[in-house]
Amino acid sequence: MRTYLVTGGAGFIGSNYIHYMFGKYGDRIRIINVDALTYAGNLENLKDVENRENYTFVKADICDKGAISEIFAQNEIDRVVHFAAESHVDRSIRDPEVFVRTNVLGTAVMLNCAKAAWELPDGSFQEGKKFLHVSTDEVYGSLPEDDNAFFYETTPYDPHSPYSASKASSDLLVKSYMDTYHFPANITNCSNNYGPYQFPEKLIPLIINNALQGKKLPVYGDGRNVRDWLFVEDHVRAIDMVQEKGRLFETYNIGGHNEKQNIEIIRIILEALQEMLPANDPRRAYVKEDLITYVEDRKGHDRRYAIAPDKIRAEVGWEPETMFQEGIRKTIRWFFENEDWMKNVTSGGYQKYYDEMYGGRKQIGENR
Ligand code: NAD
Ligand code: TYD
């Protein structure tokens, strides 16, 4: 039975990946999930798998070399899928150091422990071992607004935020292991994800949550920054397909050609909420564009991201399956059906963060 070591499996994409993998492979695989359970890690995301015999959770920090090498020593790990990271740009602007620690040092520890466990005396690696590093399109920087330019795997790295700089650094470390040791790895660079279990500090769940509570919907700057949104299930399927069908040592960009301005996203969410809330639901009265509030822009705000997924389509046969109109409705339905999840994650620590982040942000004018 193949054993996967998944890092950051209690977070948004990692938990979706674990659900997907058990849905697809059932008892034919074993998953060990290593997560430090930061503010973004939530074991509630994995309630339905926690009693499986082929699933193990280990609470550990990926920077803890002793803990990670112990996992490799105790288990025959075949695949590493490395999600664990600090992932939010706004937090990275306020506190860059933890991003460098987790994203750069943590990745170095993961690489080093996997290398030590998998390397043969002649410097080659045991057959079939693979490491997949999950990264972001933000490493490529920002594209011009009215351009048909896209991010390709060959686009030079040009990160701007501390988050994207730390992810770019981690990508380069993985590349250095491939180039120096012929370490068996892949890197995937994906566009913005949305879907179930996403922490409501990111645009889409934040807007859904705020709108349902009648809170203001904060739009940074002019609201015309463009992101390329992909339903999380399409991302996790792509990760599995790259490990199964991709060429080792290659980078694959993942995205579904779904570029939208932030303000468009907010309008689509409001429209979908209006359509999906029951006729007698009192929230219908305030889930409206009046909630839209323009606030001070994010520092160094990248203007446009857009992925060219040509390589993964041609080499791996991956295509996105969930179009945005359907994906956003699935996501909203999930949030309707999981109100307790949202209540739990928005109480305590998250609430404090929210007050700090938006309490001091100057409002630019409402309902523009
Ligand atoms: P997330 O913030 O929801 O989850 C991160 C997880 O990592 C959490 O469970 C957290 O507890 C864990 N973690 C953090 N620091 C850790 C540490 N030191 N040791 C062990 N675990 C630790 O993030 P996400 O949105 O699920 O992103 C997962 C990965 O995908 C990240 O590497 C991110 O850069 C990448 N990515 C995200 C997106 C996106 O749109 N969210 C897009 C492309 C790539
Ligand atoms: P986010 O979800 O933080 O992802 P990223 O910064 O990694 O792309 O933000 C998506 C876009 O939405 C980005 O252009 C910033 C913008 N944004 C807002 O306008 N308001 C908000 O409250 C948030 C969280 C983001």
Side-chain angles (χ1 to χ4, degrees):
M1 183 165 28
R2 190 188 281 169
T3 299
Y4 287 77
L5 175 56
V6 174
T7 70
F12 163 49
I13 307 176
S15 59
N16 276 284
Y17 174 77
I18 291 175
H19 288 129
Y20 174 80
M21 293 298 279
F22 281 136
K24 177 165 179 194
Y25 297 102
D27 292 334
R28 285 177 288 136
I29 58 165
R30 192 172 150 232
I31 295 182
I32 301 171
N33 171 20
V34 183
D35 198 299
L37 300 182
T38 67
Y39 78 94
N42 185 354
L43 285 183
E44 251 192 89
N45 299 358
L46 293 161
K47 260 198 316 232
D48 52 334
V49 304
E50 69 191 5
N51 292 324
R52 293 187 75 105
E53 284 188 4
N54 54 344
Y55 170 76
T56 310
F57 172 69
V58 180
K59 185 172 184 308
D61 187 328
I62 53 164
C63 299
D64 181 347
K65 201 171 170 176
I68 301 299
S69 34
E70 184 67 19
I71 296 170
F72 277 97
Q74 301 287 331
N75 302 278
E76 182 66 45
I77 305 292
D78 301 297
R79 302 284 169 91
V80 173
V81 183
H82 178 37
F83 293 96
E86 287 292 335
S87 67
H88 188 37
V89 173
D90 290 322
R91 284 179 190 261
S92 81
I93 294 167
R94 292 169 74 92
D95 182 14
E97 284 178 22
V98 64
F99 284 72
V100 177
R101 182 182 178 277
T102 292
N103 299 0
V104 186
L105 180 63
T107 300
V109 169
M110 290 308 303
L111 287 166
N112 225 20
C113 291
K115 175 176 172 289
W118 293 346
E119 198 169 24
L120 295 167
D122 67 357
S124 67
F125 288 91
Q126 291 175 40
E127 192 61 34
K129 305 294 188 189
K130 291 182 185 179
F131 187 107
L132 189 141
H133 177 61
V134 180
S135 192
T136 166
D137 60 354
E138 303 190 24
V139 299
Y140 298 121
S142 183
L143 291 164
E145 191 163 15
D146 300 314
D147 199 342
N148 262 339
F150 295 100
F151 295 139
Y152 290 89
E153 288 78 358
T154 48
T155 303
Y157 275 25
D158 184 22
H160 300 299
S161 71
Y163 164 67
S164 53
S166 69
K167 290 298 289 188
S169 308
S170 65
D171 291 12
L172 294 178
L173 268 176
V174 178
K175 191 171 176 314
S176 78
Y177 269 63
M178 296 195 279
D179 294 348
T180 306
Y181 310 111
H182 215 56
F183 179 76
N186 287 103
I187 300 171
T188 54
N189 294 92
C190 188
S191 61
N192 286 62
N193 285 213
Y194 69 98
Y197 303 106
Q198 188 166 29
F199 195 80
E201 64 185 355
K202 306 280 166 61
L203 181 70
I204 289 182
L206 185 140
I207 295 300
I208 296 172
N209 185 41
N210 280 20
L212 288 174
Q213 292 184 55
K215 283 194 193 164
K216 289 175 178 171
L217 310 179
V219 183
Y220 297 169
D222 65 3
R224 299 213 179 93
N225 298 65
V226 171
R227 297 292 182 264
D228 186 357
W229 294 94
L230 185 72
F231 192 56
V232 64
E233 268 177 35
D234 281 325
H235 183 191
V236 299
R237 187 168 46 83
I239 288 171
D240 181 45
M241 288 178 79
V242 166
Q243 273 207 326
E244 291 308 303
K245 299 183 183 162
R247 283 183 295 141
L248 265 180
F249 314 111
E250 292 292 320
T251 286
Y252 293 93
N253 281 353
I254 307 171
H257 279 306
N258 181 46
E259 288 176 56
K260 294 210 176 344
Q261 293 183 344
N262 296 333
I263 191 69
E264 281 181 77
I265 292 287
I266 294 171
R267 294 207 167 104
I268 292 171
I269 293 173
L270 288 171
E271 213 178 275
L273 284 172
Q274 273 296 338
E275 175 196 304
M276 292 169 74
L277 280 167
N280 58 354
D281 194 304
R283 292 173 292 187
R284 293 181 76 96
Y286 57 72
V287 174
K288 297 216 161 82
E289 293 209 4
D290 304 359
L291 295 175
I292 293 174
T293 307
Y294 286 85
V295 299
E296 205 177 330
D297 208 355
R298 173 186 279 172
K299 287 187 172 64
H301 198 173
D302 284 339
R303 195 62 174 165
R304 173 173 166 253
Y305 300 147
I307 281 273
D310 306 23
K311 182 174 170 183
I312 191 169
R313 185 178 290 151
E315 288 191 11
V316 177
W318 175 87
E319 294 271 359
E321 284 177 358
T322 305
M323 295 302 106
F324 193 71
Q325 290 297 336
E326 181 196 348
I328 198 70
R329 280 166 179 73
K330 276 193 185 175
T331 304
I332 291 172
R333 201 168 306 121
W334 187 87
F335 280 108
F336 279 165
E337 287 164 5
N338 291 275
E339 283 184 356
D340 285 348
W341 182 94
M342 186 60 96
K343 273 190 202 129
N344 290 346
V345 300
T346 51
S347 60
Y350 172 62
Q351 200 54 52
K352 187 165 162 279
Y353 159 82
Y354 190 86
D355 293 342
E356 278 171 17
M357 188 63 78
Y358 293 98
R361 209 181 261 268
K362 213 168 70 213
Q363 190 172 315
I364 306 288
E366 281 170 71
N367 316 328
R368 238 200 299 167

